[in-house]
Amino acid sequence: MILLFKILSKCFLVIFLTILTQLGGILYLITELVITRKTPFYRLKKILVFVLVYSLTTFFIIPNTAPLLGRIKIKDTPSITAHTLLTKICNRDYVTPDTYKVLTTVAKQLSHKYPSIKLVYLDANFPFIDGYPLFPHLSHNDGKKIDLSFIYKTTNEKLTNKKPGITGYGVFIPPPNNNNQTEYCKKKGYWQYDITRFFSLGNWNRKLILSEKATKDLLLLLSNQPMVRKIFIEPHLKQRLRISNTKIRFHGCQAVRHDDHIHIQL
């Protein structure tokens, strides 16, 4: 019974690491094969070897091999950055060259308009294999999609690069009572529509307020890029920001709500 539990727990860990990072499960299996029980202090060595191998693979090997298959790692610059280091650790920061070109162009335009503000991205795509799912997203599987954060301001009207939630997801802009898309979708049976509320890992900047002007400017900069095909936000935000651009649209009840981030795709 103990042996069965150990086997099942290791299988679960492999599956979890594969879903979370794409390559973590494979690297864990390699570590299991290399570090056997006969090795002195094998548990400690197994952890250290896995961390070392994973770090080398994630930060040195993958960034140099992914471009050979059509995807590149997003680099932090003075105008673009990841919201959390976890995105980089989990290999969720890869896009096609065209997508990267759009991001860097918009980031420069945004910083020109708002010098203190960076383009902050959330989940992008894994480095390898078109069609490989990036859980929990439905469509981040070809290097052409990425989530961006809204722009917020403090209570004294100062723009900030800080975000309400730790992960960037799950802290929503409340909809008006007469345009509650979440309530409508859930009544239709789409129970998952607001599931990202469980992924915020905490609201650490509760007093931040959506900057409607700066967020609208960001959306318009994105929509002005010829290669951008679709931009998803909640209908109540499009109405609130008074945007009529047809690229900016509703994503459908089968997805999750988008009043905590912007989704773009080429």
Side-chain angles (χ1 to χ4, degrees):
M1 192 67 179
I2 295 177
L3 178 60
L4 178 61
F5 175 77
K6 288 182 178 180
I7 293 173
L8 291 175
S9 63
K10 289 181 180 180
C11 288
F12 171 80
L13 186 56
V14 169
I15 294 171
F16 174 75
L17 289 172
T18 301
I19 291 173
L20 185 66
T21 70
Q22 190 175 48
L23 296 178
I26 296 173
L27 298 177
Y28 176 77
L29 282 176
I30 293 173
T31 304
E32 280 286 328
L33 294 174
V34 172
I35 308 299
T36 66
R37 287 181 174 272
K38 296 179 181 180
T39 306
F41 307 105
Y42 86 96
R43 285 192 177 89
L44 177 60
K45 287 185 178 179
K46 185 166 63 176
I47 293 172
L48 293 176
V49 169
F50 173 73
V51 170
L52 178 61
V53 171
Y54 185 85
S55 299
L56 289 173
T57 302
T58 295
F59 295 108
F60 296 100
I61 297 176
I62 296 177
N64 291 302
T65 55
L68 301 176
L69 298 176
R71 297 190 193 178
I72 56 179
K73 185 179 180 68
I74 302 171
K75 297 178 182 178
D76 279 3
T77 70
S79 59
I80 185 170
T81 187
H83 173 57
T84 171
L85 181 61
L86 190 62
T87 301
K88 300 176 182 180
I89 293 174
C90 293
N91 300 312
R92 292 170 168 249
D93 56 343
Y94 285 82
V95 292
T96 63
D98 283 344
T99 308
Y100 188 68
K101 183 178 179 180
V102 167
L103 291 176
T104 53
T105 298
V106 172
K108 289 178 182 178
Q109 293 173 343
L110 184 67
S111 64
H112 180 73
K113 193 173 186 65
Y114 301 103
S116 65
I117 295 302
K118 295 183 178 182
L119 184 67
V120 178
Y121 69 90
L122 308 175
D123 278 349
N125 309 262
F126 282 135
F128 305 114
I129 309 174
D130 282 354
Y132 191 96
L134 185 93
F135 181 82
H137 307 278
L138 294 178
S139 63
H140 290 232
N141 57 12
D142 59 3
K144 299 178 182 179
K145 284 89 174 180
I146 188 169
D147 290 340
L148 304 175
S149 177
F150 297 141
I151 300 173
Y152 294 86
K153 59 185 179 180
T154 62
T155 51
N156 61 0
E157 299 295 318
K158 183 178 180 181
L159 292 180
T160 177
N161 287 307
K162 295 180 180 179
K163 310 301 174 185
I166 293 175
T167 64
Y169 295 101
V171 181
F172 308 114
I173 308 298
N177 292 331
N178 62 350
N179 193 9
N180 195 328
Q181 191 67 49
T182 300
E183 186 177 315
Y184 172 81
C185 288
K186 294 187 77 171
K187 283 183 178 179
K188 287 286 187 179
Y190 295 95
W191 58 269
Q192 86 298 334
Y193 195 72
D194 63 347
I195 196 172
T196 46
R197 70 187 189 276
F198 298 115
F199 300 155
S200 70
L201 299 183
N203 182 348
W204 58 2
N205 290 307
R206 296 179 182 273
K207 294 184 178 181
L208 292 183
I209 306 166
L210 176 71
S211 172
E212 295 186 11
K213 184 180 184 304
T215 299
K216 179 178 180 177
D217 287 340
L218 172 57
L219 286 164
L220 294 177
L221 289 174
L222 290 166
S223 64
N224 287 336
Q225 292 297 308
M227 287 189 290
V228 172
R229 182 184 175 196
K230 296 178 183 178
I231 303 171
F232 294 150
I233 59 172
E234 286 293 304
H236 75 87
L237 283 178
K238 184 173 181 179
Q239 182 179 7
R240 177 176 175 175
L241 299 178
R242 298 180 181 179
I243 297 175
S244 58
N245 191 293
T246 55
K247 287 184 180 181
I248 302 172
R249 62 185 73 176
F250 176 51
H251 41 279
C253 288
Q254 76 282 355
V256 296
R257 62 190 290 183
H258 282 65
D259 44 8
D260 58 347
H261 70 281
I262 302 166
H263 170 97
I264 69 168
Q265 60 187 61
L266 270 63

